[in-house]
């Protein structure tokens, strides 16, 4: 399992943790993270100051409205599409879904692969184990509140809650609801399809994604690798610093008061 923990000695772990040392320090952290990402995976860090930092295998940068965003309704407002695009309409659908998920304390999903690409926003302390086919290994990315990760279609992975409280996530994906047979393909299902040597017609375009034939034997082997890492490493834990930050975040939420009609 590829791990790049940022520690006192400066050695790294794939980690989208809270920024240190301002924007420059945060960008250095994201740059370090980018070196551990599989091709096609994207991680976003949504800061409390409104800044959006971005990392992929090519490096890290701050997303700015002049380059990566589109005008959004009014002057000075901007949007960046994660699923679909500006031309999405009933005549040109993206066939996308968006949902709120709750992950139990100190638990992980069974490793799986989605038939369509996924974008997941973590609102707590999470981790995502990704199978990096180019390197032939499992890479774990640690996520903190406000970290968002984009996972390509059919990439073997698992998502875990490292914290002791329920974890809320927001997930958007192209093409598949949770009842679809290709929504989450587990190792057991991949092995079944490989054993039965299922012959499928050439894949049609699904939403905005074009699918190709899948080697279910290789997919099953990759998912078993993630399962093995989960058995050995567990779901991970939160650090003292993360637990302190979580407590401060809860205190800040209490200070903000209840939702309701504003007062002046």
């Amino acid at each position: 399992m590829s791990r790049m923990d940022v520690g006192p000695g400066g050695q790294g772990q794939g980690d989208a943790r809270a920024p240190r040392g301002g924007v420059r320090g945060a960008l250095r952290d994201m740059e370090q993270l980018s070196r551990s990402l599989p091709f096609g995976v994207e991680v976003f860090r949504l800061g409390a100051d409104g800044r959006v930092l971005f990392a992929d295998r090519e490096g890290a940068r701050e997303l700015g409205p002049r380059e990566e965003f589109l005008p959004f309704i009014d002057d000075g407002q901007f949007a960046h599409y994660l699923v679909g695009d500006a031309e999405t309409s009933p005549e040109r659908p993206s066939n996308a879904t968006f949902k709120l998920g709750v992950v139990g304390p100190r638990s992980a999903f069974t490793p799986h692969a989605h038939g369509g690409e996924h974008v997941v926003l973590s609102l707590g302390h999470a981790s995502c184990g990704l199978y990096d086919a180019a390197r032939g290994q499992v890479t774990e990315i640690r996520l903190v509140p406000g970290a968002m990760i984009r996972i390509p279609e059919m990439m073997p992975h698992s998502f875990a809650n490292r914290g002791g409280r329920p974890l809320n996530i927001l997930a958007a994906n192209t093409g598949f609801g949770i009842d679809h047979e290709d929504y989450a393909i587990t190792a057991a299902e991949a092995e079944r399809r490989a054993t039965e040597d299922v012959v499928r017609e050439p894949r049609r375009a699904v939403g905005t994604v074009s699918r190709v034939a899948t080697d279910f034997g290789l997919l099953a082997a990759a998912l078993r690798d993630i399962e093995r890492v989960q058995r050995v490493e567990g779901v991970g834990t939160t650090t003292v610093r993360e637990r302190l930050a979580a407590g401060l975040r809860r205190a800040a939420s209490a200070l903000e008061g209840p939702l309701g009609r504003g007062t002046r």
Side-chain angles (χ1 to χ4, degrees):
M1 184 173 189
S2 174
R3 302 181 70 93
M4 297 183 59
D5 276 329
V6 176
Q11 298 301 315
Q13 158 175 305
D15 197 340
R17 66 180 65 188
R20 297 172 299 171
V23 176
R24 290 184 180 179
L27 280 173
R28 285 195 296 270
D29 288 346
M30 293 291 279
E31 182 68 38
Q32 191 171 49
L33 168 65
S34 73
R35 302 185 191 116
S36 66
L37 295 177
F39 284 111
V41 174
E42 298 174 350
V43 175
F44 298 76
R45 184 73 172 91
L46 311 181
D49 59 358
R51 295 178 183 271
V52 180
L53 306 182
F54 170 86
D56 63 8
R57 189 66 166 267
E58 302 302 319
R61 66 183 186 277
E62 181 179 353
L63 295 186
R66 295 180 181 176
E67 294 83 17
E68 293 90 359
F69 285 71
L70 298 173
F72 184 39
I73 302 177
D74 295 313
D75 291 342
Q77 317 298 350
F78 304 94
H80 178 84
Y81 278 91
L82 297 168
V83 176
D85 57 43
E87 297 180 1
T88 298
S89 70
E91 293 74 32
R92 189 178 177 276
S94 66
N95 201 15
T97 69
F98 179 78
K99 59 186 174 292
L100 169 66
V102 182
V103 186
R106 302 274 303 137
S107 69
F109 288 104
T110 298
H112 55 272
H114 293 299
E117 65 176 333
H118 266 58
V119 179
V120 182
L121 171 64
S122 174
L123 301 180
H125 294 99
S127 64
C128 188
L130 302 150
Y131 186 79
D132 189 337
R135 293 171 171 147
Q137 65 185 23
V138 179
T139 296
E140 180 186 276
I141 306 299
R142 292 161 61 91
L143 303 171
V144 296
M148 183 166 62
I149 187 166
R150 187 171 190 165
I151 304 170
E153 63 170 312
M154 299 306 292
M155 174 170 282
H157 67 282
S158 183
F159 202 87
N161 178 5
R162 296 186 288 116
R165 296 170 180 264
L167 166 68
N168 292 331
I169 61 174
L170 296 174
N173 79 286
T174 52
F176 300 92
I178 58 177
D179 289 339
H180 194 284
E181 62 177 0
D182 283 347
Y183 176 77
I185 303 171
T186 63
E189 174 61 15
E191 289 168 347
R192 184 190 70 78
R193 296 187 189 189
T195 300
E196 293 181 358
D197 194 23
V198 177
V199 178
R200 294 172 178 255
E201 297 178 358
R203 295 284 187 173
R204 301 188 303 275
V206 180
T208 58
V209 179
S210 296
R211 295 284 306 283
V212 296
T214 299
D215 186 325
F216 288 103
L218 289 178
L219 175 61
L223 290 166
R224 292 300 186 195
D225 275 354
I226 299 177
E227 289 180 352
R228 175 184 55 78
V229 170
Q230 278 190 346
R231 287 195 299 271
V232 174
E233 302 288 344
V235 299
T237 59
T238 53
T239 65
V240 172
R241 184 170 129 184
E242 287 175 331
R243 291 193 291 274
L244 176 60
L248 292 173
R249 197 172 293 110
R250 289 192 294 271
S253 179
L255 286 173
E256 287 173 345
L259 297 175
R261 184 174 178 178
T263 58
R264 295 182 183 276

